[in-house]
Amino acid sequence: MMMTLMFLRVTKQYLPHIARLCLISTFLEDGIRMWFQWSEQKEYIETTWGCGFFLATLFVLINLLGQLGGCILILSRNFVQYACFGLFGIIALQTVAYSILWDPKFLMRNLALGGGLLLLLAESRSEGRSMFAGVPTMRESSPKQYMQLGGRVLLVLMFMTLLHFDTSFLSILQNLVGTALIVLVAIGFKTKLAALTLVIWLLAINVYFNAFWTIPAYKPMHDFLKYDFFQTTSVIGGLLLVVALGPGGVSMDEKKKEW
């Protein structure tokens, strides 16, 4: 616990900015990829869905502008709420277009990415000027606090895709520790410590297993690992927001203060 407090004290000014950059990294990378692979992306959508030149072009253009525009707004802290809703739309559009809806692993990762955006949306929401004006703002029913709860629960879905169901001692130990940590984050107990531990764990896994820079760019595995790397980095950004801002009112940590 003391280590967590020291970490927060040292990084207090920088952590929210690092969290935002990590969080939008997958959108930034994908938007840039859409720019440089314009023809390939358009042809893939046109061939897969048989939707014609116009709709395929429109799909790539929406993804490119929506992602790069949303990233710029979030990093500059302008119209952050609208940028988050735009990126929510991009996630939904890609989930359908790339048939992610029928792939449990990628669906859970997209939901985890949505959880990170939900936390960012909660962070950007001020009590005085809110898109939810008129909604009661009692501590127990604040929309911001339920956004934080929803964001935490969705974030831990990323770790469900990392569990290995075999009988080796290392896998069993990893599953037990990982499950304990994601439960702590979900219910909001010892939240900052659990989230920081998950950040370190996920960072190590990401660098080790998704080292796309070690694969030649012309090989398909390069793009697969690169996609996984930046998606994982975005989830790390969401967890860093939890570390920086805390779990919110709907959590065991908050209830402990009342007790």
Side-chain angles (χ1 to χ4, degrees):
M1 190 64 183
M2 288 298 297
M3 186 178 68
T4 307
L5 292 174
M6 289 177 59
F7 175 80
L8 290 174
R9 193 176 298 118
V10 172
T11 62
K12 183 178 181 180
Q13 294 182 344
Y14 311 104
L15 197 57
H17 302 290
I18 296 171
R20 282 170 173 258
L21 182 59
C22 288
L23 185 55
I24 59 94
S25 63
T26 190
F27 299 106
L28 188 61
E29 186 275 331
D30 196 49
I32 293 172
R33 183 168 57 87
M34 290 283 178
W35 178 276
F36 286 102
Q37 296 181 3
W38 174 275
S39 299
E40 294 91 330
Q41 293 295 321
K42 181 173 61 63
E43 288 173 7
Y44 173 81
I45 294 298
E46 189 173 357
T47 303
T48 303
W49 290 97
C51 57
F53 174 84
F54 175 76
L55 289 179
T57 303
L58 185 63
F59 172 84
V60 177
L61 187 62
I62 289 173
N63 274 272
L64 191 156
L65 296 179
Q67 291 185 104
L68 294 183
C71 290
I72 291 170
L73 291 177
I74 287 171
L75 291 177
S76 64
R77 294 179 179 267
N78 291 310
F79 304 104
V80 173
Q81 294 181 348
Y82 296 104
C84 286
F85 282 117
L87 293 178
F88 277 129
I90 294 293
I91 292 175
L93 184 63
Q94 291 189 353
T95 298
V96 174
Y98 295 122
S99 301
I100 292 173
L101 196 61
W102 314 117
D103 188 320
K105 177 182 176 180
F106 287 104
L107 179 60
M108 284 194 286
R109 291 191 173 192
N110 268 15
L111 289 173
L113 189 57
L117 288 176
L118 202 56
L119 289 170
L120 184 57
L121 189 62
E123 187 226 4
S124 68
R125 182 185 181 274
S126 63
E127 293 297 329
R129 299 176 61 185
S130 169
M131 294 179 69
F132 298 91
V135 177
T137 56
M138 292 175 61
R139 186 170 62 175
E140 291 81 3
S141 60
S142 167
K144 177 180 178 179
Q145 295 176 358
Y146 286 106
M147 288 180 203
Q148 289 175 290
L149 172 63
R152 293 199 321 268
V153 172
L154 289 175
L155 271 182
V156 302
L157 290 177
M158 165 62 78
F159 296 90
M160 301 302 292
T161 69
L162 300 176
L163 299 179
H164 301 286
F165 298 99
D166 58 59
T167 56
S168 70
F169 173 76
L170 190 60
S171 292
I172 293 173
L173 180 63
Q174 178 179 305
N175 289 348
L176 289 175
V177 174
T179 300
L181 289 171
I182 64 178
V183 169
L184 289 176
V185 171
I187 66 175
F189 183 69
K190 301 290 184 183
T191 316
K192 291 188 177 184
L193 178 60
L196 184 58
T197 305
L198 285 175
V199 166
I200 296 170
W201 182 31
L202 196 55
L203 186 61
I205 290 174
N206 201 26
V207 172
Y208 184 78
F209 288 106
N210 296 325
F212 65 89
W213 53 88
T214 64
I215 307 295
Y218 63 84
K219 291 189 176 181
M221 185 56 68
H222 176 90
D223 288 336
F224 285 121
L225 293 180
K226 191 175 184 181
Y227 173 81
D228 276 355
F229 179 87
F230 282 103
Q231 269 218 329
T232 306
T233 302
S234 289
V235 174
I236 288 173
L239 286 167
L240 286 174
L241 277 180
V242 174
V243 175
L245 306 173
V250 187
S251 63
M252 294 292 291
D253 286 341
E254 190 67 23
K255 294 301 179 184
K256 279 198 309 178
K257 296 177 184 178
E258 297 177 5
W259 298 339

